Amino acid sequence: MVHVDSIFLRGRVVALHGVFRLHNIPTGSIERAIFLLSVSISSVEFTIEQLSSKGGSSQSPNTKRLLRVSAGKLPLLSDLPVVKELPQPWQKLQYMWSPASGLTRDEVAALNQQLVLDGSDNKLYFKPATRDDTDATATNDPVVLVEGHHFIIVYNDQAVVDHVFGSDSDGQQSGQQSSSDGTGSSASSEPQEKPPSKGALKLHTGILDITAVSLQFKQGHLYVFIDATLALGPLELSLIGFGIGLNIAGLKLDDLSTLVKGIDFQLHGMEVSFDKPPILIAGCFYHDVTQNGNQTVDAYRGGIAVAIPPYTFVAVGEYAIVTTTQGQFKSVFVFAKLDGPIIDFEFAILQGLRIGFGYNSSVRSPAVEELYQFPLIDNGAVSGAGNHPIAILEKMEGGPNPFVQLKQDNYWLAFGFTISSFDLISATVVALVQFGDAGCIFSLFGDLTISYPPDSPPDVKLFNIEILMMAELNFVDDVFKLEAALAPTSFVLVPYCKLFGGLALYTFFGSSPHAGDWVLSVGGYHRLFDVPAWYPRPSRIGLDFNVSIIHIRGEGYFAITPKAIMTGCMIRCELSLGPVYAWLDAAFDAMVQFSPLHYWVSMHIEVGVECNIPVLFCTIHIRISIGAGLDIQGPEFGGTA
């Protein structure tokens, strides 16, 4: 073992430490030899780590080397207006080069164990992608630091961002979240540039809040992007894609001030809001460049919101230039809505209007269960943050399968309104027309709510029934669809008595490969029915009552197709009284197949009770149940009981 406490280099104190130790791990009969060499200059620590393993399934030695640079406090920006100093959004910033085969969980643990023994707090960090990555008792030993170059942000002793680049593979660890902050990506530099990698953290300093941080290495600079909000009373200023590029290429270890020489700033947008209830005024504009495969999107997005009760006006839009291998096209969409009393018809009040259009753009038809999140119809948040333009744009274009998508030679137009009657019924309806080279799609979306008493909290309402509906005449796929579903907010008598379920009607025509086929289903299908892939799958319709000691659940269904008709229902009642538990199950199912003619009928009922009786140092479990069942089918008539 070798130890050197400190030496002087050009007038600066430099710590040098090296160790060689044979480290035996009995589990799996693996013998590991570890060599560590570290050099500390100011707040930067340079480490070379070598791990040689022998044993387990292979008797030949396996040697891996790791190069690592860790920095604590870095000289960033000070004497800034208002905020005075830009806080450092990390505890440590680490650069790491991982070998071709990467490092496994147990190998990282062995290196960290040695670092602790030598009194170093500069351990290895990684961002877990699966539960096994941190479970030392798991049978497998996954790779947690993949091949390539890593920039890792450590905050509160956890790796919140692991930006991987320059590997032969894609370099993204499984489960690693990636986002584009508008910087684009290019493969022209070495190591190969990757999109920014983003992680969540919460850092509050005075009037500045940081909620997320991203990293990207490109063109010799390490870009640190932050999501930050500056709050001055009711006035908030949010920075979108604000990034600082640190000059890594020109870094001198004995003079860290070179980091801020040639520093590069990027700002892709801003959001300004004045939120002092009941008044809200907000606006945003940002520029975003993203790349998805061979498609590059250069987009400008923005919006404005003004809320002065009882009225709220919101408008958002996007202008994008899309470049592909086949050429370039431009896309535009605009959506606006006005909420508030507009026209009083005595028996009903027109409460809102919606309008939107898109050029070289398309709207994905939502599943009926998604309608309460569909931005063209959503009434779930009619005040506060739900009407911020940036939140609406994120609903429209966020996620892997956004509602509004770029599509050449496709156009859409939407118009809708909200109407209420006697404060009992409220309905929002939106008509959407889409057309392009493949054909036209006519869609009608609706959200109907019936509630009593009106304007009262859920715990005192007698009922609240919300029905989501969708009708679509699709000349692209030659299908007509009609779907409806009860929203999760539906209940009767008390909020504990929930209603659920859906229905669907599909009919296929024209050039569809399923032309002539149709289906009507309320609550699903018989368990023996082989549901074709093109049929809808509505959920069981029913009621669920769960309060204190009683739980009652009932379900039912009915379906008819050109080949079969079916129906069924079930009920389950449960009673829990201390150690005693009782239940009742009853079910009925029937199906008739038309050609060849065949039918199935089944009935079942069961009553039971069980209890746990503690006796001295043990518990006696008693269970008693009685039931009967009948299954009939034919022709030929037969069955079992």
Side-chain angles (χ1 to χ4, degrees), residues 12-90:
R12 297 182 180 271
V13 177
V14 179
L16 176 66
H17 177 73
V19 60
F20 176 82
R21 177 175 295 180
L22 189 63
H23 183 64
N24 293 315
I25 300 178
T27 303
S29 302
I30 299 177
E31 184 180 78
R32 290 191 171 100
I34 298 174
F35 173 77
L36 303 174
L37 176 65
S38 63
V39 178
S40 297
I41 304 175
S42 185
S43 61
V44 178
E45 183 172 346
F46 178 85
T47 308
I48 298 176
E49 304 171 24
Q50 178 174 299
L51 176 70
S52 296
S53 304
K54 184 178 181 181
S57 59
S58 174
Q59 295 301 317
S60 58
N62 181 20
T63 300
K64 298 180 180 180
R65 296 177 181 87
L66 184 72
L67 176 66
R68 187 158 58 106
V69 179
S70 179
K73 183 69 175 178
L74 294 178
L76 288 178
L77 302 177
S78 58
D79 299 327
L80 296 175
V82 184
V83 296
K84 302 302 182 185
E85 182 179 13
L86 186 65
Q88 179 173 289
W90 60 68

Side-chain angles (χ1 to χ4, degrees), residues 334-631:
V334 175
F335 172 70
K337 67 175 183 175
L338 173 64
D339 290 318
I342 299 173
I343 302 177
D344 190 342
F345 298 104
E346 299 299 335
F347 65 92
I349 300 175
L350 183 63
Q351 292 276 16
L353 292 174
R354 288 158 167 75
I355 190 169
F357 73 90
Y359 169 78
N360 281 337
S361 171
S362 68
V363 177
R364 175 177 67 85
S365 294
V368 68
E369 295 84 2
E370 295 180 289
L371 273 179
Y372 70 95
Q373 298 175 327
F374 189 42
L376 300 186
I377 203 171
D378 177 26
N379 274 327
V382 295
S383 62
N387 276 320
H388 274 279
I390 197 74
I392 295 178
L393 284 169
E394 179 61 28
K395 272 191 173 184
M396 285 184 156
E397 299 189 297
N401 190 20
F403 286 114
V404 179
Q405 303 177 5
L406 302 168
K407 194 171 184 181
Q408 191 172 10
D409 298 327
N410 276 256
Y411 317 93
W412 61 270
L413 178 66
F415 176 78
F417 59 87
T418 299
I419 193 167
S420 64
S421 179
F422 305 111
D423 291 330
L424 296 178
I425 302 173
S426 176
T428 298
V429 179
V430 173
L432 174 67
V433 180
Q434 301 188 71
F435 47 94
D437 293 340
C440 298
I441 302 176
F442 300 91
S443 304
L444 191 66
F445 306 102
D447 185 349
L448 173 67
T449 302
I450 306 173
S451 180
Y452 184 82
D455 302 324
S456 58
D459 56 344
V460 299
K461 285 183 181 292
L462 289 178
F463 57 84
N464 184 83
I465 301 174
E466 183 177 1
I467 303 174
L468 306 170
M469 297 171 287
M470 182 195 76
E472 180 178 286
L473 181 58
N474 189 326
F475 289 102
V476 176
D477 299 323
D478 286 340
V479 59
F480 172 76
K481 303 178 182 179
L482 176 64
E483 296 184 68
L486 288 164
T489 55
S490 300
F491 66 87
V492 292
L493 300 180
V494 291
Y496 309 106
C497 188
K498 296 185 177 297
L499 303 175
F500 57 89
L503 65 88
L505 169 65
Y506 277 31
T507 179
F508 302 87
F509 58 88
S511 60
S512 169
H514 317 298
D517 199 2
W518 55 271
V519 57
L520 169 63
S521 174
V522 181
Y525 306 91
H526 192 282
R527 65 181 184 276
L528 297 179
F529 181 65
D530 186 13
V531 184
W534 55 92
Y535 275 17
R537 287 169 169 76
S539 58
R540 285 283 193 263
I541 193 165
L543 176 148
D544 188 285
F545 178 76
N546 191 353
V547 57
S548 187
I549 62 175
I550 300 174
H551 183 199
I552 301 174
R553 183 180 181 90
E555 297 179 356
Y557 68 91
F558 169 82
I560 183 170
T561 77
K563 296 182 179 179
I565 184 171
M566 63 207 75
T567 188
C569 60
M570 64 80 65
I571 186 171
R572 179 177 178 85
C573 304
E574 299 176 357
L575 176 67
S576 297
L577 290 172
V580 179
Y581 171 72
W583 72 92
L584 164 68
D585 283 333
F588 169 81
D589 293 280
M591 181 171 69
V592 178
Q593 177 182 284
F594 299 139
S595 180
L597 179 64
H598 200 85
Y599 58 85
W600 297 263
V601 179
S602 64
M603 292 171 282
H604 167 80
I605 187 169
E606 182 184 49
V607 179
V609 63
E610 62 181 32
C611 64
N612 295 311
I613 304 175
V615 178
L616 297 177
F617 303 105
C618 63
T619 299
I620 299 176
H621 179 74
I622 300 175
R623 176 186 173 97
I624 301 173
S625 66
I626 183 172
L630 177 65
D631 293 296

